[in-house]
């Protein structure tokens, strides 16, 4: 017999705030039920039966392709359904996604002038996704008791978490609703838990602009800049968060600051995250993804559920042209994908276009930070194709096969992550960009040696990072509505951003 909270039937709303309040109520009821039953189970209660609770759901019905298109949202590339029909999605963590859900609800109401239905869904919440951040209840149980969990609770079901909607391969059956969002609630919960594991920080600290790097040197500079910002009472950032959720707050105009929270972990996580937090979430998160396309795909698979406004790769690359100098910058306007980690989800015949809004911001940021213009700027900034490979020692392959392909593609630089990050941005409709710095020229005898590398790092890392941060400032000033390009939207796109 199932033990579950009362089902909340569909209620219709014309107010986005009221609809969100109902989502919050349903979710809170479900989570409280699961936590109470789990505590009873840990204490040895065997009378629970099968415990279930369900995600909230939002549904929209429309019988026309036309949109009312109120002026404030008429130019956006999201916020409306593609045609008549029934559309719905499950929802999770309204405490984290409240601002996001409120915007999506309001846009749907503006564009379609119909009511939103909010109710309990039929999608169970896996009990693991109900735990509070510091709950470790499973560690208090014996192996036998843990094995019994699947008899009593719903556990994560991978069939409910695939990326078919984002990949464009999902097709509803006859009579089934069409999706409103790229991600189901279980898929979002799964990634939120993975982010805690990989980055060592809670997902609520992630900001809407994300920088990726493949070197700790950049993180060291970001930490220095973040701590300096917290010492400035006029900084636009209110907190700096490091792994372990170690939070430094901005000093007041009187020079005082709340006590730091959190604790540095005994060892860094696999892909440590750092966050310069703004009140409205438009700050900067930076993640050291390490080396290789597998890490790049892994972390962007999960950060995508946070629906950031942009992510940018700042890293090192091999310069492939003899005219390049060590320390020159490469602004990617195309990609050769030899990373092999996304071939199934995003076929190689799909082009990954450059996004004008990000390209312009990055080029302007280089000019602003270096103080160069015109031909002097072009002398250190090369725009061209970036090739990404999954073989770190590609130059050792026989018969010069990679070199020939890279030459045919007109590539000007090579790394292991940029094409993956851009391709996953395209797949998940997250605006993307790449600005790399030439650290070696293996085709021309300039390989990376310790002495050269140390000098290069000292000269360029700080400047490169400041360029990335300046580009984010420019994008923030110009407005996020300019970033979510129609280039990233498919024919019958979901409504949620």
């Amino acid at each position: 017999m199932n033990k579950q909270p009362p089902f909340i039937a569909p209620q219709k709303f014309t107010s986005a705030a009221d609809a969100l309040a109902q989502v919050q109520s349903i979710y809170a009821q479900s989570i409280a039920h699961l936590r109470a039953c789990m505590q009873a189970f840990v204490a040895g209660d065997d009378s629970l039966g099968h415990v279930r609770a369900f995600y909230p759901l939002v549904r929209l019905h429309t019988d026309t392709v036309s949109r009312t298109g109120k002026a404030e949202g008429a130019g956006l590339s999201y916020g409306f359904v593609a045609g008549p029909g029934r559309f719905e999605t499950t929802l999770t963590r309204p405490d984290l996604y409240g601002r996001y859900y409120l915007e999506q609800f309001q846009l749907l109401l503006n564009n379609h002038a119909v009511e939103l239905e909010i109710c309990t869904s039929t999608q169970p919440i896996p009990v693991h996704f109900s735990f509070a951040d510091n709950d470790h209840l499973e560690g208090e149980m014996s192996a036998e008791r843990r094995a019994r969990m699947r008899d009593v609770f719903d556990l994560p079901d991978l069939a409910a978490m695939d990326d078919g909607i984002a990949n464009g391969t999902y097709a509803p059956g006859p009579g089934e609703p069409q999706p409103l969002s790229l991600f189901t609630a279980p898929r979002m919960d799964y990634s939120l838990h993975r982010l805690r594991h990989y980055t060592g920080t809670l997902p609520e600290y992630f900001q809407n602009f994300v920088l990726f790097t493949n070197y700790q040197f950049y993180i060291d500079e970001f930490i220095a800049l973040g701590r300096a910002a917290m010492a400035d009472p006029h900084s636009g950032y209110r907190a700096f968060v490091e792994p372990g959720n170690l939070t430094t707050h901005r000093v007041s105009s009187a020079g005082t600051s709340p006590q730091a929270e959190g604790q540095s972990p005994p060892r860094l996580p696999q892909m440590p995250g750092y966050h310069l937090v703004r009140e409205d979430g438009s700050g900067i998160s930076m993640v050291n993804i390490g080396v290789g396309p597998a890490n790049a795909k892994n972390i962007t698979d999960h950060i995508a559920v946070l629906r950031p406004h942009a992510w940018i790769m700042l890293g090192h690359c091999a310069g492939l042209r003899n005219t390049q100098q060590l320390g020159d910058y490469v602004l990617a306007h195309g990609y050769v994908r030899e990373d092999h980690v996304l071939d199934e989800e995003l076929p190689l015949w799909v082009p990954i276009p450059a996004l004008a809004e990000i390209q312009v911001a990055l080029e302007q940021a280089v000019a602003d930070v270096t103080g160069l213009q015109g031909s002097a700027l072009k002398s250190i900034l090369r725009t061209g194709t970036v090739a990404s490979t999954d073989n770190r020692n590609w130059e050792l392959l026989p018969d010069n096969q990679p070199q020939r392909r890279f030459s045919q593609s007109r590539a000007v630089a090579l790394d292991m992550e940029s094409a993956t990050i851009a391709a996953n941005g395209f797949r998940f409709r997250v605006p993307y960009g790449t600005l790399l710095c030439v650290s070696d020229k293996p085709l021309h005898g300039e390989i990376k040696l310790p002495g050269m590398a140390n000098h290069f790092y000292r000269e360029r890392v700080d400047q490169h990072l400041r360029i990335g941060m300046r580009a984010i400032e420019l994008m923030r000033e110009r407005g996020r509505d300019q970033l979510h390009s129609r280039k990233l939207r498919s024919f019958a796109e979901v409504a949620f951003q």
Side-chain angles (χ1 to χ4, degrees):
M1 181 176 179
N2 286 349
K3 182 180 178 66
Q4 57 193 55
F7 174 80
I8 297 179
Q11 295 185 42
K12 296 182 178 181
F13 297 89
T14 57
S15 162
D18 291 345
L20 177 60
Q22 183 73 342
V23 170
Q24 293 167 332
S25 177
I26 295 172
Y27 185 78
Q29 174 185 268
S30 294
I31 294 301
H33 174 77
L34 288 175
R35 288 179 179 174
C37 290
M38 178 51 119
Q39 289 171 352
F41 179 78
V42 171
D45 189 343
D46 289 320
S47 65
L48 295 170
H50 188 80
V51 175
R52 300 198 111 168
F54 302 90
Y55 288 106
L57 176 142
V58 59
R59 179 184 296 129
L60 175 145
H61 294 266
T62 180
D63 56 7
T64 176
V65 298
S66 64
R67 294 157 48 195
T68 58
K70 291 187 178 179
E72 60 266 27
L76 294 176
S77 62
Y78 58 89
F80 52 89
V81 297
R86 175 165 59 100
F87 301 81
E88 60 186 49
T89 189
T90 48
L91 306 169
T92 190
R93 292 291 306 274
D95 59 312
L96 176 63
Y97 288 103
R99 190 182 314 175
Y100 170 76
Y101 288 153
L102 190 65
E103 181 192 24
Q104 308 313 306
F105 292 174
Q106 190 62 61
L107 287 171
L108 288 172
L109 292 169
N110 290 350
N111 281 313
H112 298 289
V114 296
E115 296 171 312
L116 297 179
E117 293 183 18
I118 306 294
C119 63
T120 303
S121 74
T122 58
Q123 179 64 56
I125 301 177
V127 70
H128 295 80
F129 298 160
S130 72
F131 294 172
D133 292 329
N134 296 315
D135 282 351
H136 304 286
L137 298 179
E138 288 180 273
E140 302 173 18
M141 294 186 287
S142 65
E144 293 77 15
R145 195 71 176 164
R146 286 198 301 273
R148 280 210 59 208
M149 279 182 62
R150 67 179 57 252
D151 296 327
V152 179
F153 297 96
D154 291 297
L155 302 187
D157 177 11
L158 294 180
M161 302 181 197
D162 68 57
D163 282 332
I165 301 171
N167 293 344
T169 58
Y170 173 77
E176 292 183 345
Q178 299 178 65
L180 270 175
S181 173
L182 292 178
F183 304 108
T184 64
R187 168 68 169 85
M188 296 171 81
D189 272 336
Y190 175 75
S191 283
L192 295 178
H193 281 255
R194 292 289 80 200
L195 283 173
R196 289 167 55 190
H197 170 74
Y198 285 120
T199 69
T201 58
L202 294 174
E204 37 264 64
Y205 290 125
F206 270 84
Q207 301 295 287
N208 280 319
F209 295 95
V210 183
L211 296 174
F212 296 113
T213 188
N214 50 9
Y215 278 93
Q216 183 63 30
F217 297 94
Y218 287 82
I219 296 296
D220 294 340
E221 291 295 329
F222 191 67
I223 292 171
L225 291 172
R227 291 176 178 171
M230 294 306 97
D232 177 6
H234 305 294
S235 170
Y237 302 100
R238 66 171 179 82
F240 181 61
V241 182
E242 305 175 51
N245 303 309
L246 180 62
T247 304
T248 304
H249 297 276
R250 182 186 58 206
V251 299
S252 68
S253 56
T256 61
S257 174
Q259 186 174 358
E261 304 161 358
Q263 185 175 6
S264 295
R267 64 189 65 84
L268 285 176
Q270 183 176 341
M271 290 180 274
Y274 301 80
H275 314 280
L276 265 172
V277 179
R278 289 174 66 96
E279 201 65 48
D280 61 357
S282 66
I284 304 172
S285 291
M286 189 166 195
V287 181
N288 180 1
I289 62 175
V291 176
N295 277 0
K297 177 183 182 298
N298 187 6
I299 198 64
T300 49
D301 279 350
H302 299 311
I303 291 179
V305 307
L306 297 173
R307 309 315 297 141
H309 297 322
W311 59 40
I312 295 173
M313 176 65 189
L314 298 180
H316 296 166
C317 66
L320 301 181
R321 302 303 179 94
N322 196 34
T323 53
Q324 291 170 304
Q325 304 296 321
L326 298 187
D328 284 356
Y329 294 113
V330 174
L331 176 59
H333 73 185
Y335 300 89
V336 175
R337 292 170 52 203
E338 293 202 359
D339 50 351
H340 302 122
V341 293
L342 279 167
D343 296 359
E344 294 182 8
E345 291 93 342
L346 193 68
L348 288 173
W349 52 261
V350 177
I352 310 300
L355 303 182
E357 297 79 6
I358 293 190
Q359 299 296 97
V360 169
L362 282 169
E363 183 171 351
Q364 182 61 52
V366 176
D368 290 351
V369 173
T370 63
L372 301 176
Q373 299 287 337
S375 58
L377 179 63
K378 290 184 177 180
S379 71
I380 66 160
L381 176 64
R382 183 80 174 254
T383 301
T385 298
V386 171
S388 292
T389 178
D390 60 353
N391 185 348
R392 177 58 189 85
N393 295 313
W394 58 273
E395 56 264 67
L396 303 182
L397 293 174
D399 301 325
N400 294 324
Q401 292 178 7
Q403 293 95 309
R404 186 180 302 118
R405 291 196 302 275
F406 300 149
S407 177
Q408 291 170 332
S409 72
R410 311 301 193 265
V412 299
L414 182 136
D415 76 347
M416 299 185 70
E417 300 87 19
S418 294
T420 309
I421 288 170
N424 238 8
F426 181 90
R427 182 166 76 109
F428 291 130
R429 289 72 161 173
V430 176
Y432 51 85
T434 300
L435 183 71
L436 303 176
C437 193
V438 176
S439 60
D440 61 326
K441 296 169 58 182
L443 299 184
H444 306 97
E446 294 189 54
I447 62 175
K448 197 177 295 185
L449 297 173
M452 292 170 57
N454 289 337
H455 177 73
F456 166 77
Y457 296 141
R458 287 195 301 271
E459 290 291 318
R460 274 292 184 261
V461 167
D462 178 70
Q463 184 184 79
H464 194 186
L465 176 57
R466 289 179 184 273
I467 290 169
M469 296 176 70
R470 175 59 182 153
I472 288 175
E473 291 174 0
L474 291 169
M475 288 186 280
R476 187 192 299 130
E477 292 167 3
R478 292 166 184 171
R480 62 189 176 90
D481 294 347
Q482 302 296 316
L483 288 172
H484 294 280
S485 171
R486 290 179 174 85
K487 295 186 186 76
L488 302 183
R489 312 293 282 182
S490 62
F491 294 166
E493 191 58 64
V494 299
F496 279 22
Q497 175 241 312

PDB file of all heavy atoms in Angstrom, residues 127-145:
ATOM      1  N   VAL A 127      13.804   9.539  -3.337  1.00  0.00           N
ATOM      2  CA  VAL A 127      14.004   9.955  -1.952  1.00  0.00           C
ATOM      3  C   VAL A 127      15.354  10.639  -1.754  1.00  0.00           C
ATOM      4  O   VAL A 127      15.484  11.545  -0.927  1.00  0.00           O
ATOM      5  CB  VAL A 127      13.846   8.751  -0.996  1.00  0.00           C
ATOM      6  CG1 VAL A 127      15.008   7.768  -1.153  1.00  0.00           C
ATOM      7  CG2 VAL A 127      13.728   9.216   0.450  1.00  0.00           C
ATOM      8  N   HIS A 128      16.360  10.248  -2.524  1.00  0.00           N
ATOM      9  CA  HIS A 128      17.669  10.893  -2.397  1.00  0.00           C
ATOM     10  C   HIS A 128      17.589  12.392  -2.687  1.00  0.00           C
ATOM     11  O   HIS A 128      18.363  13.180  -2.138  1.00  0.00           O
ATOM     12  CB  HIS A 128      18.668  10.254  -3.360  1.00  0.00           C
ATOM     13  CG  HIS A 128      18.971   8.824  -3.065  1.00  0.00           C
ATOM     14  ND1 HIS A 128      18.145   7.806  -3.442  1.00  0.00           N
ATOM     15  CD2 HIS A 128      20.010   8.240  -2.409  1.00  0.00           C
ATOM     16  CE1 HIS A 128      18.658   6.655  -3.054  1.00  0.00           C
ATOM     17  NE2 HIS A 128      19.786   6.890  -2.417  1.00  0.00           N
ATOM     18  N   PHE A 129      16.675  12.785  -3.565  1.00  0.00           N
ATOM     19  CA  PHE A 129      16.568  14.195  -3.938  1.00  0.00           C
ATOM     20  C   PHE A 129      15.765  15.005  -2.927  1.00  0.00           C
ATOM     21  O   PHE A 129      15.592  16.215  -3.111  1.00  0.00           O
ATOM     22  CB  PHE A 129      15.939  14.326  -5.325  1.00  0.00           C
ATOM     23  CG  PHE A 129      16.736  13.678  -6.427  1.00  0.00           C
ATOM     24  CD1 PHE A 129      16.144  13.354  -7.631  1.00  0.00           C
ATOM     25  CD2 PHE A 129      18.088  13.399  -6.264  1.00  0.00           C
ATOM     26  CE1 PHE A 129      16.874  12.760  -8.656  1.00  0.00           C
ATOM     27  CE2 PHE A 129      18.831  12.795  -7.283  1.00  0.00           C
ATOM     28  CZ  PHE A 129      18.219  12.478  -8.482  1.00  0.00           C
ATOM     29  N   SER A 130      15.284  14.356  -1.880  1.00  0.00           N
ATOM     30  CA  SER A 130      14.557  15.076  -0.834  1.00  0.00           C
ATOM     31  C   SER A 130      15.439  15.435   0.351  1.00  0.00           C
ATOM     32  O   SER A 130      15.033  16.199   1.219  1.00  0.00           O
ATOM     33  CB  SER A 130      13.382  14.228  -0.334  1.00  0.00           C
ATOM     34  OG  SER A 130      13.832  13.137   0.449  1.00  0.00           O
ATOM     35  N   PHE A 131      16.663  14.885   0.393  1.00  0.00           N
ATOM     36  CA  PHE A 131      17.530  15.126   1.535  1.00  0.00           C
ATOM     37  C   PHE A 131      17.950  16.593   1.587  1.00  0.00           C
ATOM     38  O   PHE A 131      18.230  17.212   0.559  1.00  0.00           O
ATOM     39  CB  PHE A 131      18.794  14.268   1.465  1.00  0.00           C
ATOM     40  CG  PHE A 131      18.556  12.791   1.581  1.00  0.00           C
ATOM     41  CD1 PHE A 131      19.597  11.897   1.371  1.00  0.00           C
ATOM     42  CD2 PHE A 131      17.313  12.272   1.902  1.00  0.00           C
ATOM     43  CE1 PHE A 131      19.394  10.530   1.469  1.00  0.00           C
ATOM     44  CE2 PHE A 131      17.089  10.910   2.005  1.00  0.00           C
ATOM     45  CZ  PHE A 131      18.139  10.036   1.789  1.00  0.00           C
ATOM     46  N   ALA A 132      18.030  17.145   2.778  1.00  0.00           N
ATOM     47  CA  ALA A 132      18.594  18.477   2.952  1.00  0.00           C
ATOM     48  C   ALA A 132      20.095  18.425   2.683  1.00  0.00           C
ATOM     49  O   ALA A 132      20.706  17.344   2.654  1.00  0.00           O
ATOM     50  CB  ALA A 132      18.314  18.987   4.365  1.00  0.00           C
ATOM     51  N   ASP A 133      20.701  19.590   2.506  1.00  0.00           N
ATOM     52  CA  ASP A 133      22.103  19.645   2.093  1.00  0.00           C
ATOM     53  C   ASP A 133      23.034  18.887   3.029  1.00  0.00           C
ATOM     54  O   ASP A 133      24.012  18.289   2.589  1.00  0.00           O
ATOM     55  CB  ASP A 133      22.552  21.104   1.989  1.00  0.00           C
ATOM     56  CG  ASP A 133      21.860  21.828   0.845  1.00  0.00           C
ATOM     57  OD1 ASP A 133      21.545  21.169  -0.156  1.00  0.00           O
ATOM     58  OD2 ASP A 133      21.632  23.041   0.966  1.00  0.00           O
ATOM     59  N   ASN A 134      22.761  18.905   4.309  1.00  0.00           N
ATOM     60  CA  ASN A 134      23.666  18.277   5.271  1.00  0.00           C
ATOM     61  C   ASN A 134      23.145  16.948   5.806  1.00  0.00           C
ATOM     62  O   ASN A 134      23.656  16.435   6.798  1.00  0.00           O
ATOM     63  CB  ASN A 134      23.929  19.236   6.432  1.00  0.00           C
ATOM     64  CG  ASN A 134      24.656  20.493   5.972  1.00  0.00           C
ATOM     65  OD1 ASN A 134      25.620  20.411   5.211  1.00  0.00           O
ATOM     66  ND2 ASN A 134      24.192  21.654   6.415  1.00  0.00           N
ATOM     67  N   ASP A 135      22.115  16.397   5.164  1.00  0.00           N
ATOM     68  CA  ASP A 135      21.583  15.099   5.586  1.00  0.00           C
ATOM     69  C   ASP A 135      22.444  13.976   5.021  1.00  0.00           C
ATOM     70  O   ASP A 135      22.737  13.950   3.824  1.00  0.00           O
ATOM     71  CB  ASP A 135      20.144  14.910   5.099  1.00  0.00           C
ATOM     72  CG  ASP A 135      19.143  15.663   5.957  1.00  0.00           C
ATOM     73  OD1 ASP A 135      19.560  16.182   7.008  1.00  0.00           O
ATOM     74  OD2 ASP A 135      17.970  15.725   5.578  1.00  0.00           O
ATOM     75  N   HIS A 136      22.820  13.044   5.881  1.00  0.00           N
ATOM     76  CA  HIS A 136      23.572  11.854   5.456  1.00  0.00           C
ATOM     77  C   HIS A 136      22.939  10.642   6.134  1.00  0.00           C
ATOM     78  O   HIS A 136      23.606   9.866   6.816  1.00  0.00           O
ATOM     79  CB  HIS A 136      25.048  11.982   5.828  1.00  0.00           C
ATOM     80  CG  HIS A 136      25.697  13.220   5.276  1.00  0.00           C
ATOM     81  ND1 HIS A 136      26.012  13.358   3.945  1.00  0.00           N
ATOM     82  CD2 HIS A 136      26.046  14.387   5.877  1.00  0.00           C
ATOM     83  CE1 HIS A 136      26.558  14.558   3.754  1.00  0.00           C
ATOM     84  NE2 HIS A 136      26.585  15.201   4.904  1.00  0.00           N
ATOM     85  N   LEU A 137      21.638  10.481   5.921  1.00  0.00           N
ATOM     86  CA  LEU A 137      20.885   9.464   6.653  1.00  0.00           C
ATOM     87  C   LEU A 137      21.322   8.052   6.292  1.00  0.00           C
ATOM     88  O   LEU A 137      21.298   7.156   7.134  1.00  0.00           O
ATOM     89  CB  LEU A 137      19.386   9.636   6.370  1.00  0.00           C
ATOM     90  CG  LEU A 137      18.782  10.976   6.818  1.00  0.00           C
ATOM     91  CD1 LEU A 137      17.318  11.038   6.456  1.00  0.00           C
ATOM     92  CD2 LEU A 137      18.966  11.166   8.321  1.00  0.00           C
ATOM     93  N   GLU A 138      21.716   7.845   5.057  1.00  0.00           N
ATOM     94  CA  GLU A 138      22.081   6.490   4.652  1.00  0.00           C
ATOM     95  C   GLU A 138      23.293   5.981   5.425  1.00  0.00           C
ATOM     96  O   GLU A 138      23.434   4.778   5.659  1.00  0.00           O
ATOM     97  CB  GLU A 138      22.373   6.458   3.147  1.00  0.00           C
ATOM     98  CG  GLU A 138      21.132   6.601   2.285  1.00  0.00           C
ATOM     99  CD  GLU A 138      21.462   6.570   0.810  1.00  0.00           C
ATOM    100  OE1 GLU A 138      21.769   7.634   0.254  1.00  0.00           O
ATOM    101  OE2 GLU A 138      21.416   5.478   0.213  1.00  0.00           O
ATOM    102  N   GLY A 139      24.168   6.903   5.827  1.00  0.00           N
ATOM    103  CA  GLY A 139      25.342   6.478   6.575  1.00  0.00           C
ATOM    104  C   GLY A 139      25.017   5.940   7.949  1.00  0.00           C
ATOM    105  O   GLY A 139      25.855   5.284   8.584  1.00  0.00           O
ATOM    106  N   GLU A 140      23.794   6.208   8.431  1.00  0.00           N
ATOM    107  CA  GLU A 140      23.391   5.729   9.749  1.00  0.00           C
ATOM    108  C   GLU A 140      22.742   4.352   9.692  1.00  0.00           C
ATOM    109  O   GLU A 140      22.370   3.801  10.719  1.00  0.00           O
ATOM    110  CB  GLU A 140      22.407   6.738  10.371  1.00  0.00           C
ATOM    111  CG  GLU A 140      22.981   8.141  10.502  1.00  0.00           C
ATOM    112  CD  GLU A 140      21.916   9.136  10.955  1.00  0.00           C
ATOM    113  OE1 GLU A 140      20.878   8.684  11.480  1.00  0.00           O
ATOM    114  OE2 GLU A 140      22.127  10.349  10.779  1.00  0.00           O
ATOM    115  N   MET A 141      22.596   3.789   8.475  1.00  0.00           N
ATOM    116  CA  MET A 141      21.897   2.510   8.319  1.00  0.00           C
ATOM    117  C   MET A 141      22.869   1.386   8.011  1.00  0.00           C
ATOM    118  O   MET A 141      23.933   1.593   7.425  1.00  0.00           O
ATOM    119  CB  MET A 141      20.859   2.613   7.195  1.00  0.00           C
ATOM    120  CG  MET A 141      19.724   3.563   7.481  1.00  0.00           C
ATOM    121  SD  MET A 141      18.462   3.511   6.185  1.00  0.00           S
ATOM    122  CE  MET A 141      19.298   4.360   4.848  1.00  0.00           C
ATOM    123  N   SER A 142      22.469   0.186   8.354  1.00  0.00           N
ATOM    124  CA  SER A 142      23.252  -0.993   8.002  1.00  0.00           C
ATOM    125  C   SER A 142      23.101  -1.273   6.511  1.00  0.00           C
ATOM    126  O   SER A 142      22.195  -0.744   5.845  1.00  0.00           O
ATOM    127  CB  SER A 142      22.753  -2.211   8.790  1.00  0.00           C
ATOM    128  OG  SER A 142      21.423  -2.536   8.399  1.00  0.00           O
ATOM    129  N   ALA A 143      23.961  -2.130   5.985  1.00  0.00           N
ATOM    130  CA  ALA A 143      23.883  -2.479   4.572  1.00  0.00           C
ATOM    131  C   ALA A 143      22.542  -3.129   4.246  1.00  0.00           C
ATOM    132  O   ALA A 143      21.953  -2.888   3.185  1.00  0.00           O
ATOM    133  CB  ALA A 143      25.039  -3.414   4.200  1.00  0.00           C
ATOM    134  N   GLU A 144      22.049  -3.959   5.154  1.00  0.00           N
ATOM    135  CA  GLU A 144      20.762  -4.621   4.934  1.00  0.00           C
ATOM    136  C   GLU A 144      19.624  -3.610   4.893  1.00  0.00           C
ATOM    137  O   GLU A 144      18.703  -3.706   4.066  1.00  0.00           O
ATOM    138  CB  GLU A 144      20.503  -5.649   6.038  1.00  0.00           C
ATOM    139  CG  GLU A 144      21.434  -6.854   6.041  1.00  0.00           C
ATOM    140  CD  GLU A 144      22.802  -6.523   6.618  1.00  0.00           C
ATOM    141  OE1 GLU A 144      22.947  -5.463   7.268  1.00  0.00           O
ATOM    142  OE2 GLU A 144      23.726  -7.331   6.405  1.00  0.00           O
ATOM    143  N   ARG A 145      19.706  -2.616   5.780  1.00  0.00           N
ATOM    144  CA  ARG A 145      18.658  -1.602   5.817  1.00  0.00           C
ATOM    145  C   ARG A 145      18.700  -0.750   4.548  1.00  0.00           C
ATOM    146  O   ARG A 145      17.665  -0.399   3.978  1.00  0.00           O
ATOM    147  CB  ARG A 145      18.853  -0.718   7.051  1.00  0.00           C
ATOM    148  CG  ARG A 145      17.644   0.135   7.415  1.00  0.00           C
ATOM    149  CD  ARG A 145      16.529  -0.705   7.957  1.00  0.00           C
ATOM    150  NE  ARG A 145      15.389   0.093   8.391  1.00  0.00           N
ATOM    151  CZ  ARG A 145      14.192  -0.413   8.611  1.00  0.00           C
ATOM    152  NH1 ARG A 145      13.976  -1.715   8.421  1.00  0.00           N
ATOM    153  NH2 ARG A 145      13.198   0.344   9.009  1.00  0.00           N
TER     154      ARG A 145
END
